[in-house]
Structure formats: structure tokens, C-alpha cells
Amino acid sequence: QRANAFLEVLPQCASMGDYGPPLAHHLASNKLQHWEPALRQLAAEALGRLAAVPQLQAVLIEEVLPSLLPRCTHRLVPARHGAIWGVAELLLGLSRHGALDQIAQAVQEDIAQVVTRVEEKQLYRGKGGEMLRGATCRLIECIADAGLALDASTTAQLQSSLDGQLRHPTLEIVQAAVAALRKFAPVCQLGQSGGASSSAGAQSTCC
């Protein structure tokens, strides 16, 4: 079964000898740009599972993750869809295995701005737009689940993005937004309580 090969066998192989770095780079540079959306998402999940391999974390943080971020606004839909999913799953995997603090602050800030850059470039329009909406919802969900630090402005931008997805006519998009909101709502509430001593304009407006 394909899922078993990606999610179980591949991480085991990556933990042996020198197989890990080539497998990680193959997932990032090849499988995340595959023509089939389901395979791109499977490859992204596999990439996140590689974070469980301690000797691979440096490669994932210093090489793979920075290589994915510019591709999140790539001109080709498969490239940017796979990159966004890859960033999301890799961030979550690294967080779950205690490596979030090893990601450079500039890279963390870049991750937090991916959704805003996608929307500023109006990449939801045209072919592949619905796939990208699902991918950005997943990224917001993983950002919240990973505990990535967000300022009030970025929190408000991500909340606004989810608000828009919740109004989308496609059920799958709404479901993805709801899943993201379950993780993101506590982040909003924390930001609001933490901003009690700040000006009201600096606070996010989560539902």
C-alpha cells in the first residue's frame, strides 16, 4: 500500500545509515511537485514524519524547509500546493519532536507570512485555487498546533483568511477551515488575553 510505504517504511529507511538526507531531498524536490495532489499531500506527511529521526533534523531545518518557502508562491500550481503542504507538515513534525526552537527566527517569520503572500498574489484565482485554499487552511492549523509565535497583526491576517474560507461554497474547503479554526481559536484567545494591557487596535478579532 502506498500510504504504508510513505509513512512507515520510508521513515524507517531514512533512519538507517546515509539514506536519510537523499530521501528527504527527494520528497521535497520531486514528490512534492508530483502531478497527483494526493501524492503531494502524502509526501508532505512523510516529510513531517522524518522529523522523528534525530540525525535528520538539521537537514530538514537548514536545507529542506528554507528550500520550500520560496516555492509557496511558485508560478506552477503543483509546485506551490506541494510546498505549502510540505511546510505545514514539516513544521508540525519538527514541533512534535522538540525541534521548533532550532528553526531560525527569520524562517519562522517567513512561515507565518506564507498565507498572506499567497493571498496578496491572488493565487486562489483560476485553476488549482481550491487546492491552495485547502493547503493554506492546513498550514494555519499546523502553525497553531506547533505553537509558532505570532504577532497581533499576523494573527488577525490568518483569522481573516479562515473567515473567508468558512464562507466558501465548497464543503471540503469549509471543513478544512473548521479543522484549522479548532486549533487556531485558542491562539486568538491567548492573544486577546495577553493584549489586555495593550491598545485595542493591537488585538486580533477572533471569533
Side-chain angles (χ1 to χ4, degrees):
Q1 189 187 31
R2 186 168 69 172
N4 185 65
F6 272 83
L7 304 181
E8 302 297 336
V9 178
L10 189 147
Q12 291 179 19
C13 293
S15 66
M16 302 175 184
D18 297 325
Y19 293 114
L23 284 171
H25 284 293
H26 178 71
L27 286 173
S29 63
N30 188 301
K31 296 304 182 185
L32 285 183
Q33 301 187 69
H34 194 272
W35 63 268
E36 184 184 352
L39 185 59
R40 294 197 293 268
Q41 293 174 212
L42 189 59
E45 189 174 348
L47 199 58
R49 294 202 177 194
L50 293 187
V53 183
Q55 63 267 32
L56 269 183
Q57 289 181 353
V59 171
L60 296 172
I61 291 169
E62 297 170 11
E63 300 175 22
V64 175
L65 187 55
S67 75
L68 293 178
L69 287 166
R71 280 177 21 207
C72 291
T73 53
H74 195 279
R75 65 183 181 85
L76 298 178
V77 173
R80 60 180 181 256
H81 175 256
I84 294 169
W85 269 97
V87 169
E89 298 294 343
L90 190 49
L91 173 66
L92 185 60
L94 290 167
S95 171
R96 286 178 172 173
H97 293 91
L100 181 63
D101 291 344
Q102 297 177 37
I103 302 175
Q105 185 62 36
V107 174
Q108 293 192 36
E109 293 172 357
D110 202 1
I111 293 171
Q113 291 300 316
V114 165
V115 176
T116 300
R117 293 203 307 273
V118 167
E119 295 181 348
E120 286 177 345
K121 291 179 178 289
Q122 300 182 335
L123 296 180
Y124 293 149
R125 294 184 176 182
K127 184 178 179 180
E130 290 191 358
M131 284 194 303
L132 290 184
R133 289 178 183 274
T136 55
C137 284
R138 178 58 179 163
L139 178 56
I140 295 173
E141 181 180 359
C142 290
I143 284 174
D145 205 359
L148 194 71
L150 302 172
D151 59 29
S153 175
T154 303
T155 301
Q157 289 171 349
L158 297 182
Q159 174 63 32
S160 177
S161 178
L162 288 180
D163 288 345
Q165 312 298 16
L166 288 168
R167 294 190 293 269
H168 197 273
T170 303
L171 178 60
E172 289 79 4
I173 303 299
V174 174
Q175 290 174 332
V178 169
L181 193 58
R182 288 195 184 103
K183 297 291 184 180
F184 195 71
V187 174
C188 294
Q189 293 168 0
L190 181 62
Q192 288 175 338
S193 63
S197 60
S198 303
S199 65
Q203 297 177 20
S204 59
T205 55
C206 294
C207 57

